[in-house]
Amino acid sequence: MKNFLFLVILVITIVMGSMGFIFAREENMDELFSLLIGARNAAKIGLTEKAITRYESYLEKRPEDTIVILEFADLLHKRGFYARAEEYYEYLVKNVRNIPGVDDEFRKRLLVASARNALKNKKEDRALDLYDLAFLYGEIDAGVKLEFADLLHHKGFYARAEKYYEYLVKNIGNIPGADDEFRKRLLVASARNALQNKKEDRALDLYDRAFGYGEFDAEVKLEFADLLHHKGFYARA
């Protein structure tokens, strides 16, 4: 009888202990969920410092949550905390090939966001590397290609920039979501790059096409006039 009672007490103790563990775990998960929702809500209504505090508290308890790390880095970037954002972006980039449970779309988004943040931190060479890495994970949208081409041009890699400019120009009528402002910017940037590559006839053609998409500021008009003059088209200039 004593043995039977001992067994009953032991079973009850084990069950109660398991239930206590489950309840404690549920409470912990509820707390984490509340922290994350609180961080997101604070960010939505512009309470930046409160959002940052809550994201940091959440990530102290869940440092492996890569989705939230990127979400937090994006918030820091958006609010202008570029140096702090870099810490989180670079942590993810360092492990980009081995992040569990994410796909190539996540990796592309991470690398492009990190490149844009690097530019804000005046780290252009690092940004070039990050854009380059992003292209390894599949097709990149036109806006990012133009960003990359502009950076290549700015860094003096005119031949490489031409590859991306010309691809976009070739498909200028079929770029999803592109408006006439985008097309104008693309054509002018491509024309300027063509001039650096000593391709003046190509630059003339690109400037000409750009003017088909609306009005331009005085600087672009002067560039075009100077090129027309240089090529001997004095009446047009």
Side-chain angles (χ1 to χ4, degrees):
M1 187 66 179
K2 287 182 180 179
N3 287 341
F4 176 74
L5 285 173
F6 174 76
L7 285 173
V8 170
I9 293 168
L10 180 62
V11 169
I12 291 171
T13 302
I14 292 170
V15 169
M16 292 300 290
S18 298
M19 289 177 67
F21 173 76
I22 291 168
F23 289 143
R25 194 166 188 275
E26 285 180 351
E27 282 180 16
N28 187 47
M29 292 302 291
D30 286 344
E31 181 190 350
L32 285 173
F33 182 73
S34 295
L35 271 174
L36 184 55
I37 295 302
R40 288 170 174 168
N41 288 337
K44 281 179 185 176
I45 60 176
L47 299 175
T48 302
E49 288 302 325
K50 187 169 284 189
I52 288 172
T53 299
R54 288 173 177 174
Y55 272 117
E56 286 175 338
S57 296
Y58 175 86
L59 289 171
E60 281 177 10
K61 297 176 174 64
R62 290 290 301 275
E64 76 286 357
D65 194 334
T66 52
I67 304 298
V68 175
I69 294 172
L70 180 55
E71 188 178 305
F72 184 36
D74 287 344
L75 174 68
L76 290 168
H77 173 86
K78 186 177 178 183
R79 297 292 190 264
F81 299 107
Y82 307 123
R84 290 180 70 184
E86 182 180 347
E87 296 174 28
Y88 293 95
Y89 284 132
E90 288 294 342
Y91 169 79
L92 292 174
V93 169
K94 183 180 177 182
N95 301 288
V96 69
R97 295 181 185 276
N98 303 309
I99 299 173
V102 301
D103 57 13
D104 285 352
E105 282 302 314
F106 177 93
R107 294 182 175 92
K108 278 195 297 185
R109 192 166 77 79
L110 160 63
L111 289 161
V112 170
S114 188
R116 289 169 173 164
N117 195 71
L119 286 177
K120 291 292 187 181
N121 283 324
K122 314 298 183 190
K123 298 182 177 181
E124 294 174 344
D125 291 337
R126 181 57 177 154
L128 277 176
D129 289 342
L130 291 162
Y131 277 119
D132 257 336
L133 277 172
F135 280 87
L136 297 177
Y137 291 101
E139 185 60 24
I140 300 287
D141 68 38
V144 176
K145 284 178 180 170
L146 183 54
E147 288 172 21
F148 187 42
D150 286 346
L151 180 57
L152 288 167
H153 174 86
H154 173 71
K155 295 292 289 181
F157 299 113
Y158 305 122
R160 284 190 71 195
E162 181 180 350
K163 170 187 169 185
Y164 294 97
Y165 284 131
E166 288 295 340
Y167 172 85
L168 291 170
V169 169
K170 182 180 177 182
N171 296 283
I172 196 166
N174 303 306
I175 298 172
D179 58 11
D180 285 352
E181 283 302 313
F182 178 91
R183 295 183 178 95
K184 281 198 300 183
R185 190 166 78 80
L186 163 61
L187 288 163
V188 170
S190 188
R192 288 168 172 165
N193 194 72
L195 285 175
Q196 294 293 337
N197 283 325
K198 314 299 183 189
K199 297 182 178 181
E200 293 174 344
D201 290 339
R202 180 58 176 155
L204 274 177
D205 177 57
L206 291 162
Y207 275 119
D208 250 340
R209 290 179 65 183
F211 280 89
Y213 288 103
E215 187 61 24
F216 276 91
D217 61 30
E219 181 183 359
V220 175
K221 288 178 179 176
L222 182 57
E223 289 172 9
F224 188 39
D226 285 346
L227 181 57
L228 287 167
H229 176 84
H230 174 72
K231 295 294 289 183
F233 299 108
Y234 307 122
R236 286 192 68 192

